[in-house]
Amino acid sequence: MSILKELIEDLKADLKQAGYEVETLALEPSNRRDLGEYQLNDAMQLAKAYHENPREIATKIVKVLEEDNRFENINIAGPGFINISLSDSYTKEILNRMNQDLFSNIEKKEKKKIIIDYGGANVAKALHVGHLRSANIGEALKRLARMMGYEVLGDAHLGDYGRPLGFVVLEIQKMYPELPYFDKDYTGDFSELTLPITNEDLEKIYPLASQKAKEDESYLEEGREVTNKIQNHERGYYDLWKKIVEISKEDIKNVYDLLNTEFDLWLGESDAAEYFEELNQIFEEKELLVESEGAKIVHLEEENDKAPMPPLLFVKSNGTLSYETTDLAAILQRKKEYNPDEIWYVVDNRQGLHFEQIFRATRKAKLVDDNVVLEHVGFGTMNGKDGKPFKTRDGGVMSLKGLIALVKEETLKRLSPETVGEEEKDSIAMDVAISALKYADLLPYRETDYVFEVEKFSDLEGKTGPYLLYSTIRMKSLLKKAEGIDAKEIQKLKGEAEKNIALTLLELPTVLNHALESKSLSEITEFIYQLTSYYNKFYAENKVLTEEDKELQESWIVLTSLVYKVNTMLLDILGMKVPEKM
Ligand code: ARG
C-alpha cells in the first residue's frame, strides 16, 4: 500500500475513534500550507449523516488527532474544516521509507498482457512529424505500464503493405528494367543481390511514384498489377519488395533509436495479411459480408448512433485488402500469437473513425473475447504558429530527422563550452534535443494540440526537458562530490523546501496511477517539474557540501539522492536520457 493510502486508512481509524465512520476520506492538499498542509473536510458530510453540528464533529475529531504524533498544527476553520499538517518526525519517517524502497510506495497492478500498437511508420517513406507523438506517447505508456507491473509488448505495426509500395516497385522497374527481379528467366538467389538504391532514393521515389499514379491512369493500373504481384508473392516482385522493406526498416530503426523508442515486435501490415484467409472465413461464416458494387463490405450501424457510421470496406472491388482489413487481420494475429488482455492503439485522433469501425467489426465477428479491451489512445497534433500541422518553411511535410536536427541546432547553442568538450558536443546536444522534444510533446494532455516552439522547448529555464536534465545532472554531481560522506538516513529537516519535497513525493503513486488511467503523461511531466523546482529552491537556499551540522548534511545528501532517484525513474519512463554533463 502506498504511504499516502496508509495515511488515509489511519486517519479513517482516527475518525472512527472519534465516533464517526466514513467510506472515503475527504482529504485535500491545501494551497495555503501555512494554515495547514492538508484540509480534512469530512465534518461537513458527517453533519448530515449524524445530525450534528459540523463544528462539534470537527472538535471531537481534532481531539483524537491531537493524540496522534504524526500530525501538528491542527485547527478548525470556518464551519468545520480541519487544517492539519504532518509533523517533522513523521515527514522524516516518510522520506526514509521511500528512500529505502521507492517501489514499495508504488502499488503493482494485477497481471495483464497488453499490446501497444504505436509508431506506425510506413516503409520507403520518411518518418514525419506525425509519427513523433505516437512514438513518444506509445513508448512512455509502454514503460509506465511495465513499471506498474503489466506485461507489455510494443509493436511497430509497420505500414509495409498496400498500393504505395506497389508504385515504388513499379517506379524502380521503370528506372532499372534490367534488374534480375524483373527477369522471368533469372534463377539465382535474390537475397544475395544488392540493390543500387539507398534509403534516400526510396524516400524520393515514393512521392514521385504516388504523384505519377495520381496523374496517369495507365500508371495507376500498372501499379495495381504490381501490388497484386507482390501480395501474391510472385517471384521477383515479392523479393524486391522484401529488399525494400529491409533497407527502409534499417533507417526507420535508426530514427526510432534517436527517439529512445524500442519495439518488442517489428510486425507489419504484411504479417497481418497472412491471416486474411482465416479472417475472411470467420466473416463469411458469421454472414457479415455484403456485396456492394463488386466490393465486400460490413455494415456497422448501431441503434443509438448519433452520427452516420459508414460500412467497413472489407475487400475492394479489385480484390485488394483495405487498411481496415489489415487491422482486423492484425487483431486475429495478435489473438492467436499473443492472446493479449488489452490492445492500445496510440494513433492520431484523426483516425478515430477507422478504429471505431475496426472495433465494431471485431465485436461483431467475435475475433476476441468480449472482455478483451480494445482502445484507441488518440492524440492531438503538433502545430506550427499558424495553428495548422507543423510544416517545413516552404510548406512541405517536415521529416522527423529534419525536425530533430532543427532542435539539435538549438540545443547545441546552449551547451556550456566550459564543461562540454568538442568531441562529445554532438552526442550531448542530441540527448538534450530529444529530451526537449519529448518533454514538450508529453506536457500537454494527450488529446490537446500544441504549438512547436523550438527556442522555448530548448530553454534551460522553465518547464522544459533541458531544465530537468540540467537539474538532474546537478543532483548527480552533488552526490558524487559527497561520496565520502556516509549518509544513511534523514535525521533532521530544516525548512519549508524539504517539507515541500516530501509532500510532493507523497503524491507520486497517485500521479502514476492517474497517468496510466488517462493514458496521458502530462501529470508525470508536471510532477517532475514541480519536484525539481522544489529541490532547486532547496539547493539555492542551502550549501550542502559545506554544512557544518553533520546530521543535517547527511540528511540533505539522502534527500538529494531520493529526489535524484525519482527523477531518473520518471525521466526514463518519459524516454529521456540524462547525459553526464551539458
Ligand atoms: N501506418 C499508419 C499511418 O501512417 C499508422 C498505423 C497505425 N496503427 C494501426 N494499427 N492502424 O497512418
Side-chain angles (χ1 to χ4, degrees):
M1 195 184 329
S2 78
I3 299 177
L4 187 60
K5 274 214 179 137
E6 202 180 288
L7 176 66
I8 288 172
E9 287 310 312
D10 290 352
L11 277 169
K12 277 201 216 163
D14 282 344
L15 253 64
K16 197 165 175 184
Q17 203 187 323
Y20 304 101
E21 279 195 61
V22 289
E23 227 175 274
T24 43
L25 195 78
L27 184 73
E28 298 282 343
S30 150
N31 40 17
R32 281 287 311 270
R33 285 194 178 160
D34 51 328
L35 299 180
E37 289 154 359
Y38 291 95
Q39 204 172 52
L40 193 60
N41 299 334
D42 292 88
M44 318 310 289
Q45 285 295 325
L46 288 168
K48 281 182 218 136
Y50 285 80
H51 305 291
E52 281 177 50
N53 176 317
R55 224 179 145 92
E56 270 163 34
I57 298 176
T59 312
K60 282 197 230 163
I61 296 174
V62 166
K63 249 208 192 103
V64 177
L65 293 179
E66 274 168 345
E67 297 301 307
D68 192 330
N69 59 14
R70 286 175 295 184
F71 309 117
E72 60 177 36
N73 190 14
I74 308 164
N75 55 74
I76 303 172
F81 301 108
I82 303 171
N83 289 318
I84 165 176
S85 297
L86 305 186
S87 67
D88 263 12
S89 64
Y90 184 51
T91 308
K92 280 187 291 186
E93 183 194 316
I94 290 172
L95 290 171
N96 282 324
R97 276 177 58 191
M98 283 189 200
N99 188 49
Q100 264 159 23
D101 186 359
L102 190 54
F103 287 93
S104 74
N105 188 38
I106 298 166
E107 280 162 67
K108 292 280 172 188
K109 301 283 181 192
E110 76 278 28
K111 274 268 155 279
K112 225 186 232 180
K113 192 194 271 184
I114 302 170
I115 291 183
I116 309 186
D117 176 323
Y118 66 108
N122 298 313
V123 162
K125 197 175 168 191
L127 277 133
H128 55 81
V129 297
H131 294 110
L132 177 72
R133 297 205 84 182
S134 181
N136 288 344
I137 298 169
E139 180 69 19
L141 287 179
K142 181 192 78 181
R143 294 179 185 211
L144 173 64
R146 215 170 252 173
M147 194 198 72
M148 301 297 270
Y150 291 134
E151 184 186 343
V152 189
L153 290 171
D155 182 8
H157 198 72
L158 274 188
D160 60 357
Y161 196 77
R163 250 176 18 191
L165 282 169
F167 297 140
V168 170
V169 170
L170 172 65
E171 190 55 32
I172 293 177
Q173 182 170 21
K174 297 211 183 276
M175 291 164 78
Y176 305 94
E178 70 286 357
L179 284 178
Y181 297 99
F182 311 115
D183 177 0
K184 281 211 160 58
D185 303 323
Y186 182 74
T187 50
D189 184 353
F190 287 112
S191 64
E192 280 166 9
L193 296 177
T194 46
L195 201 62
I197 288 171
T198 63
N199 186 64
E200 277 106 85
D201 298 330
L202 287 175
E203 288 179 1
K204 283 188 206 117
I205 294 172
Y206 188 107
L208 177 81
S210 305
Q211 190 58 33
K212 281 192 183 175
K214 256 187 230 155
E215 287 162 1
D216 181 348
E217 189 63 38
S218 67
Y219 191 93
L220 179 75
E221 195 40 53
E222 279 180 275
R224 275 194 194 127
E225 274 165 32
V226 173
T227 310
N228 284 339
K229 285 180 185 170
I230 298 170
Q231 295 184 350
N232 295 330
H233 293 209
E234 191 173 311
R235 199 178 138 79
Y237 287 91
Y238 178 69
D239 296 277
L240 177 56
W241 167 81
K242 267 212 313 227
K243 196 85 196 171
I244 292 171
V245 172
E246 200 181 290
I247 295 172
S248 173
K249 209 157 141 178
E250 199 183 305
D251 184 73
I252 291 172
K253 274 193 173 144
N254 288 339
V255 181
Y256 281 129
D257 271 353
L258 287 181
L259 288 172
N260 305 325
T261 298
E262 301 147 7
F263 296 100
D264 307 286
L265 307 173
W266 276 90
L267 294 170
E269 294 176 7
S270 66
D271 297 294
E274 300 296 318
Y275 282 78
F276 175 69
E277 286 311 324
E278 203 175 329
L279 183 79
N280 190 47
Q281 209 176 339
I282 297 173
F283 274 78
E284 291 278 11
E285 271 166 19
K286 298 220 158 75
E287 294 176 7
L288 296 170
L289 300 178
V290 178
E291 288 277 333
S292 168
E293 294 167 31
K296 285 187 201 167
I297 61 171
V298 184
H299 284 296
L300 298 170
E301 300 97 337
E302 283 170 13
E303 219 168 277
N304 297 322
D305 281 344
K306 296 216 171 62
M309 173 56 69
L312 180 145
L313 184 57
F314 195 80
V315 189
K316 296 182 196 167
S317 52
N318 61 13
T320 53
L321 309 184
S322 65
Y323 176 43
E324 283 70 33
T325 315
T326 54
D327 257 323
L328 289 173
I331 292 179
L332 185 60
Q333 177 182 25
R334 286 167 180 164
K335 155 86 188 156
K336 299 209 119 183
E337 294 181 18
Y338 305 99
N339 198 22
D341 301 292
E342 302 194 0
I343 308 177
W344 303 351
Y345 296 86
V346 185
V347 182
D348 195 314
N349 265 339
R350 289 172 289 187
Q351 293 198 25
L353 178 63
H354 167 78
F355 286 105
E356 182 59 31
Q357 286 191 307
I358 66 162
F359 296 165
R360 283 192 185 190
T362 301
R363 299 296 179 206
K364 279 191 116 169
K366 293 201 176 299
L367 293 182
V368 293
D369 296 342
D370 286 345
N371 56 4
V372 170
V373 174
L374 301 170
E375 188 175 341
H376 174 208
V377 181
F379 51 80
T381 50
M382 183 180 96
N383 292 336
K385 294 220 166 76
D386 59 357
K388 300 206 183 90
F390 189 71
K391 292 264 158 63
T392 55
R393 225 173 272 183
D394 51 20
V397 176
M398 174 65 103
S399 79
L400 203 40
K401 280 190 220 162
L403 182 79
I404 294 171
L406 199 81
V407 183
K408 189 177 150 203
E409 207 179 295
E410 195 66 31
T411 52
L412 205 50
K413 291 186 210 157
R414 298 163 198 251
L415 297 184
S416 153
E418 286 109 66
T419 36
V420 178
E422 243 345 274
E423 68 303 335
E424 54 193 2
K425 218 165 74 176
D426 226 53
S427 89
I428 294 178
M430 186 57 98
D431 284 346
V432 182
I434 295 301
S435 81
L437 257 179
K438 289 217 175 214
Y439 188 80
D441 195 33
L442 298 172
L443 183 63
Y445 175 65
R446 167 167 59 77
E447 299 203 65
T448 315
D449 299 344
Y450 71 98
V451 174
F452 177 74
E453 289 170 278
V454 69
E455 289 97 11
K456 185 172 145 197
F457 295 176
S458 315
D459 205 335
L460 286 174
E461 295 293 331
K463 261 188 204 174
T464 69
Y467 169 74
L468 296 173
L469 293 191
Y470 180 79
S471 309
T472 308
I473 292 172
R474 203 165 63 177
M475 292 172 206
K476 189 176 181 188
S477 116
L478 173 79
L479 292 170
K480 195 150 177 63
K481 289 188 190 127
E483 254 167 14
I485 302 166
D486 186 23
K488 283 203 187 66
E489 61 172 20
I490 294 177
Q491 310 149 56
K492 246 186 178 175
L493 293 173
K494 198 173 121 193
E496 210 182 311
E498 297 129 287
K499 194 56 178 288
N500 283 333
I501 292 172
L503 293 177
T504 306
L505 283 171
L506 269 180
E507 302 294 327
L508 177 63
T510 318
V511 167
L512 294 174
N513 276 318
H514 280 178
L516 201 58
E517 275 159 28
S518 62
K519 301 192 178 68
S520 171
L521 286 306
S522 41
E523 273 191 57
I524 296 183
T525 47
E526 292 284 355
F527 175 91
I528 184 168
Y529 174 73
Q530 185 62 262
L531 179 66
T532 303
S533 305
Y534 281 137
Y535 179 82
N536 285 348
K537 195 152 184 288
F538 154 83
Y539 185 91
E541 285 167 3
N542 302 294
K543 297 269 158 294
V544 178
L545 292 171
T546 52
E547 174 59 44
E548 281 174 8
D549 180 337
K550 285 297 150 200
E551 281 191 359
L552 197 54
Q553 186 185 45
E554 284 170 24
S555 304
W556 282 347
I557 293 169
V558 175
L559 185 73
T560 303
S561 121
L562 175 58
V563 175
Y564 175 73
K565 259 191 276 187
V566 172
N567 266 19
T568 29
M569 176 182 95
L570 296 181
L571 290 173
D572 184 62
I573 290 178
L574 302 178
M576 291 160 61
K577 262 196 214 145
V578 187
E580 287 298 314
K581 50 184 158 177
M582 64 187 268

PDB file of all heavy atoms in Angstrom, residues 98-116:
ATOM      1  N   MET A  98      10.590   5.894   1.834  1.00  0.00           N
ATOM      2  CA  MET A  98      10.654   5.962   0.359  1.00  0.00           C
ATOM      3  C   MET A  98      12.069   5.728  -0.115  1.00  0.00           C
ATOM      4  O   MET A  98      12.307   5.097  -1.138  1.00  0.00           O
ATOM      5  CB  MET A  98      10.210   7.332  -0.125  1.00  0.00           C
ATOM      6  CG  MET A  98       8.739   7.529  -0.096  1.00  0.00           C
ATOM      7  SD  MET A  98       8.388   9.075  -0.952  1.00  0.00           S
ATOM      8  CE  MET A  98       6.776   9.392  -0.305  1.00  0.00           C
ATOM      9  N   ASN A  99      13.004   6.288   0.610  1.00  0.00           N
ATOM     10  CA  ASN A  99      14.392   6.159   0.195  1.00  0.00           C
ATOM     11  C   ASN A  99      14.853   4.709   0.240  1.00  0.00           C
ATOM     12  O   ASN A  99      15.606   4.262  -0.613  1.00  0.00           O
ATOM     13  CB  ASN A  99      15.277   7.031   1.069  1.00  0.00           C
ATOM     14  CG  ASN A  99      16.696   7.077   0.550  1.00  0.00           C
ATOM     15  OD1 ASN A  99      16.913   7.311  -0.635  1.00  0.00           O
ATOM     16  ND2 ASN A  99      17.648   6.806   1.426  1.00  0.00           N
ATOM     17  N   GLN A 100      14.371   3.991   1.250  1.00  0.00           N
ATOM     18  CA  GLN A 100      14.773   2.591   1.360  1.00  0.00           C
ATOM     19  C   GLN A 100      14.183   1.752   0.244  1.00  0.00           C
ATOM     20  O   GLN A 100      14.833   0.874  -0.307  1.00  0.00           O
ATOM     21  CB  GLN A 100      14.312   2.014   2.694  1.00  0.00           C
ATOM     22  CG  GLN A 100      15.404   2.075   3.731  1.00  0.00           C
ATOM     23  CD  GLN A 100      14.842   2.004   5.131  1.00  0.00           C
ATOM     24  OE1 GLN A 100      13.732   1.489   5.328  1.00  0.00           O
ATOM     25  NE2 GLN A 100      15.565   2.528   6.088  1.00  0.00           N
ATOM     26  N   ASP A 101      12.948   2.014  -0.062  1.00  0.00           N
ATOM     27  CA  ASP A 101      12.302   1.200  -1.080  1.00  0.00           C
ATOM     28  C   ASP A 101      11.253   2.027  -1.816  1.00  0.00           C
ATOM     29  O   ASP A 101      10.088   2.067  -1.446  1.00  0.00           O
ATOM     30  CB  ASP A 101      11.653  -0.025  -0.413  1.00  0.00           C
ATOM     31  CG  ASP A 101      11.086  -0.974  -1.451  1.00  0.00           C
ATOM     32  OD1 ASP A 101      11.198  -0.657  -2.657  1.00  0.00           O
ATOM     33  OD2 ASP A 101      10.539  -2.006  -1.060  1.00  0.00           O
ATOM     34  N   LEU A 102      11.714   2.649  -2.859  1.00  0.00           N
ATOM     35  CA  LEU A 102      10.839   3.537  -3.630  1.00  0.00           C
ATOM     36  C   LEU A 102       9.638   2.774  -4.173  1.00  0.00           C
ATOM     37  O   LEU A 102       8.523   3.263  -4.213  1.00  0.00           O
ATOM     38  CB  LEU A 102      11.660   4.129  -4.770  1.00  0.00           C
ATOM     39  CG  LEU A 102      11.043   5.259  -5.569  1.00  0.00           C
ATOM     40  CD1 LEU A 102      10.596   6.384  -4.677  1.00  0.00           C
ATOM     41  CD2 LEU A 102      12.036   5.752  -6.603  1.00  0.00           C
ATOM     42  N   PHE A 103       9.886   1.551  -4.576  1.00  0.00           N
ATOM     43  CA  PHE A 103       8.841   0.810  -5.267  1.00  0.00           C
ATOM     44  C   PHE A 103       7.752   0.268  -4.348  1.00  0.00           C
ATOM     45  O   PHE A 103       6.643   0.019  -4.792  1.00  0.00           O
ATOM     46  CB  PHE A 103       9.454  -0.303  -6.115  1.00  0.00           C
ATOM     47  CG  PHE A 103      10.120   0.259  -7.316  1.00  0.00           C
ATOM     48  CD1 PHE A 103      11.461   0.569  -7.296  1.00  0.00           C
ATOM     49  CD2 PHE A 103       9.390   0.547  -8.448  1.00  0.00           C
ATOM     50  CE1 PHE A 103      12.078   1.135  -8.401  1.00  0.00           C
ATOM     51  CE2 PHE A 103       9.989   1.114  -9.556  1.00  0.00           C
ATOM     52  CZ  PHE A 103      11.345   1.408  -9.532  1.00  0.00           C
ATOM     53  N   SER A 104       8.079   0.114  -3.061  1.00  0.00           N
ATOM     54  CA  SER A 104       7.022  -0.367  -2.164  1.00  0.00           C
ATOM     55  C   SER A 104       5.953   0.706  -2.010  1.00  0.00           C
ATOM     56  O   SER A 104       4.834   0.453  -1.616  1.00  0.00           O
ATOM     57  CB  SER A 104       7.603  -0.754  -0.812  1.00  0.00           C
ATOM     58  OG  SER A 104       7.925   0.420  -0.104  1.00  0.00           O
ATOM     59  N   ASN A 105       6.328   1.934  -2.354  1.00  0.00           N
ATOM     60  CA  ASN A 105       5.350   3.016  -2.282  1.00  0.00           C
ATOM     61  C   ASN A 105       4.475   3.054  -3.538  1.00  0.00           C
ATOM     62  O   ASN A 105       3.513   3.792  -3.619  1.00  0.00           O
ATOM     63  CB  ASN A 105       6.105   4.340  -2.115  1.00  0.00           C
ATOM     64  CG  ASN A 105       5.176   5.495  -1.846  1.00  0.00           C
ATOM     65  OD1 ASN A 105       4.187   5.337  -1.136  1.00  0.00           O
ATOM     66  ND2 ASN A 105       5.457   6.643  -2.424  1.00  0.00           N
ATOM     67  N   ILE A 106       4.840   2.264  -4.518  1.00  0.00           N
ATOM     68  CA  ILE A 106       4.077   2.243  -5.771  1.00  0.00           C
ATOM     69  C   ILE A 106       3.368   0.894  -5.863  1.00  0.00           C
ATOM     70  O   ILE A 106       4.010  -0.146  -5.817  1.00  0.00           O
ATOM     71  CB  ILE A 106       5.022   2.422  -6.968  1.00  0.00           C
ATOM     72  CG1 ILE A 106       5.704   3.789  -6.867  1.00  0.00           C
ATOM     73  CG2 ILE A 106       4.282   2.271  -8.284  1.00  0.00           C
ATOM     74  CD1 ILE A 106       6.889   3.945  -7.785  1.00  0.00           C
ATOM     75  N   GLU A 107       2.064   0.942  -5.976  1.00  0.00           N
ATOM     76  CA  GLU A 107       1.342  -0.330  -6.000  1.00  0.00           C
ATOM     77  C   GLU A 107       1.416  -0.998  -7.353  1.00  0.00           C
ATOM     78  O   GLU A 107       1.159  -0.380  -8.377  1.00  0.00           O
ATOM     79  CB  GLU A 107      -0.125  -0.086  -5.678  1.00  0.00           C
ATOM     80  CG  GLU A 107      -0.357   0.058  -4.209  1.00  0.00           C
ATOM     81  CD  GLU A 107      -1.686   0.717  -3.945  1.00  0.00           C
ATOM     82  OE1 GLU A 107      -2.711   0.088  -4.240  1.00  0.00           O
ATOM     83  OE2 GLU A 107      -1.674   1.854  -3.468  1.00  0.00           O
ATOM     84  N   LYS A 108       1.739  -2.260  -7.347  1.00  0.00           N
ATOM     85  CA  LYS A 108       1.792  -3.006  -8.599  1.00  0.00           C
ATOM     86  C   LYS A 108       0.380  -3.402  -9.007  1.00  0.00           C
ATOM     87  O   LYS A 108      -0.479  -3.665  -8.185  1.00  0.00           O
ATOM     88  CB  LYS A 108       2.650  -4.258  -8.410  1.00  0.00           C
ATOM     89  CG  LYS A 108       4.115  -3.922  -8.184  1.00  0.00           C
ATOM     90  CD  LYS A 108       4.801  -3.617  -9.496  1.00  0.00           C
ATOM     91  CE  LYS A 108       6.211  -3.099  -9.210  1.00  0.00           C
ATOM     92  NZ  LYS A 108       6.942  -2.600 -10.293  1.00  0.00           N
ATOM     93  N   LYS A 109       0.191  -3.466 -10.309  1.00  0.00           N
ATOM     94  CA  LYS A 109      -1.124  -3.831 -10.840  1.00  0.00           C
ATOM     95  C   LYS A 109      -1.251  -5.349 -10.957  1.00  0.00           C
ATOM     96  O   LYS A 109      -0.259  -6.069 -10.914  1.00  0.00           O
ATOM     97  CB  LYS A 109      -1.290  -3.231 -12.230  1.00  0.00           C
ATOM     98  CG  LYS A 109      -1.178  -1.731 -12.248  1.00  0.00           C
ATOM     99  CD  LYS A 109      -2.447  -1.141 -11.726  1.00  0.00           C
ATOM    100  CE  LYS A 109      -2.375   0.380 -11.751  1.00  0.00           C
ATOM    101  NZ  LYS A 109      -3.451   0.987 -10.996  1.00  0.00           N
ATOM    102  N   GLU A 110      -2.479  -5.790 -11.156  1.00  0.00           N
ATOM    103  CA  GLU A 110      -2.708  -7.227 -11.369  1.00  0.00           C
ATOM    104  C   GLU A 110      -2.060  -7.651 -12.698  1.00  0.00           C
ATOM    105  O   GLU A 110      -1.768  -6.811 -13.540  1.00  0.00           O
ATOM    106  CB  GLU A 110      -4.206  -7.541 -11.359  1.00  0.00           C
ATOM    107  CG  GLU A 110      -4.972  -7.148 -12.609  1.00  0.00           C
ATOM    108  CD  GLU A 110      -5.387  -5.668 -12.667  1.00  0.00           C
ATOM    109  OE1 GLU A 110      -4.716  -4.801 -12.071  1.00  0.00           O
ATOM    110  OE2 GLU A 110      -6.378  -5.390 -13.342  1.00  0.00           O
ATOM    111  N   LYS A 111      -1.842  -8.936 -12.861  1.00  0.00           N
ATOM    112  CA  LYS A 111      -1.208  -9.418 -14.103  1.00  0.00           C
ATOM    113  C   LYS A 111      -2.131  -9.191 -15.293  1.00  0.00           C
ATOM    114  O   LYS A 111      -3.311  -9.479 -15.242  1.00  0.00           O
ATOM    115  CB  LYS A 111      -0.905 -10.916 -13.983  1.00  0.00           C
ATOM    116  CG  LYS A 111       0.428 -11.174 -13.316  1.00  0.00           C
ATOM    117  CD  LYS A 111       1.547 -11.300 -14.350  1.00  0.00           C
ATOM    118  CE  LYS A 111       2.925 -10.952 -13.792  1.00  0.00           C
ATOM    119  NZ  LYS A 111       3.232  -9.515 -13.721  1.00  0.00           N
ATOM    120  N   LYS A 112      -1.557  -8.679 -16.350  1.00  0.00           N
ATOM    121  CA  LYS A 112      -2.321  -8.419 -17.552  1.00  0.00           C
ATOM    122  C   LYS A 112      -1.361  -8.316 -18.704  1.00  0.00           C
ATOM    123  O   LYS A 112      -0.270  -7.805 -18.541  1.00  0.00           O
ATOM    124  CB  LYS A 112      -3.011  -7.054 -17.393  1.00  0.00           C
ATOM    125  CG  LYS A 112      -4.444  -7.016 -17.815  1.00  0.00           C
ATOM    126  CD  LYS A 112      -4.941  -5.618 -17.743  1.00  0.00           C
ATOM    127  CE  LYS A 112      -6.220  -5.538 -16.934  1.00  0.00           C
ATOM    128  NZ  LYS A 112      -6.704  -4.158 -16.856  1.00  0.00           N
ATOM    129  N   LYS A 113      -1.778  -8.807 -19.875  1.00  0.00           N
ATOM    130  CA  LYS A 113      -0.897  -8.661 -21.037  1.00  0.00           C
ATOM    131  C   LYS A 113      -1.472  -7.609 -21.975  1.00  0.00           C
ATOM    132  O   LYS A 113      -2.622  -7.689 -22.387  1.00  0.00           O
ATOM    133  CB  LYS A 113      -0.765 -10.001 -21.765  1.00  0.00           C
ATOM    134  CG  LYS A 113       0.352  -9.983 -22.794  1.00  0.00           C
ATOM    135  CD  LYS A 113       0.281 -11.161 -23.731  1.00  0.00           C
ATOM    136  CE  LYS A 113       1.050 -12.346 -23.177  1.00  0.00           C
ATOM    137  NZ  LYS A 113       1.049 -13.464 -24.156  1.00  0.00           N
ATOM    138  N   ILE A 114      -0.646  -6.619 -22.283  1.00  0.00           N
ATOM    139  CA  ILE A 114      -1.110  -5.518 -23.129  1.00  0.00           C
ATOM    140  C   ILE A 114      -0.215  -5.413 -24.362  1.00  0.00           C
ATOM    141  O   ILE A 114       1.008  -5.452 -24.248  1.00  0.00           O
ATOM    142  CB  ILE A 114      -1.048  -4.179 -22.359  1.00  0.00           C
ATOM    143  CG1 ILE A 114      -1.893  -4.262 -21.083  1.00  0.00           C
ATOM    144  CG2 ILE A 114      -1.523  -3.016 -23.234  1.00  0.00           C
ATOM    145  CD1 ILE A 114      -1.700  -3.103 -20.145  1.00  0.00           C
ATOM    146  N   ILE A 115      -0.850  -5.283 -25.523  1.00  0.00           N
ATOM    147  CA  ILE A 115      -0.074  -4.959 -26.721  1.00  0.00           C
ATOM    148  C   ILE A 115      -0.298  -3.484 -27.017  1.00  0.00           C
ATOM    149  O   ILE A 115      -1.438  -3.019 -27.048  1.00  0.00           O
ATOM    150  CB  ILE A 115      -0.503  -5.809 -27.933  1.00  0.00           C
ATOM    151  CG1 ILE A 115      -0.097  -7.274 -27.706  1.00  0.00           C
ATOM    152  CG2 ILE A 115       0.142  -5.279 -29.221  1.00  0.00           C
ATOM    153  CD1 ILE A 115      -0.394  -8.197 -28.871  1.00  0.00           C
ATOM    154  N   ILE A 116       0.775  -2.745 -27.169  1.00  0.00           N
ATOM    155  CA  ILE A 116       0.629  -1.338 -27.562  1.00  0.00           C
ATOM    156  C   ILE A 116       1.099  -1.209 -29.007  1.00  0.00           C
ATOM    157  O   ILE A 116       2.220  -1.535 -29.342  1.00  0.00           O
ATOM    158  CB  ILE A 116       1.409  -0.383 -26.648  1.00  0.00           C
ATOM    159  CG1 ILE A 116       1.076  -0.657 -25.166  1.00  0.00           C
ATOM    160  CG2 ILE A 116       1.060   1.065 -26.983  1.00  0.00           C
ATOM    161  CD1 ILE A 116       1.688   0.329 -24.194  1.00  0.00           C
TER     162      ILE A 116
END
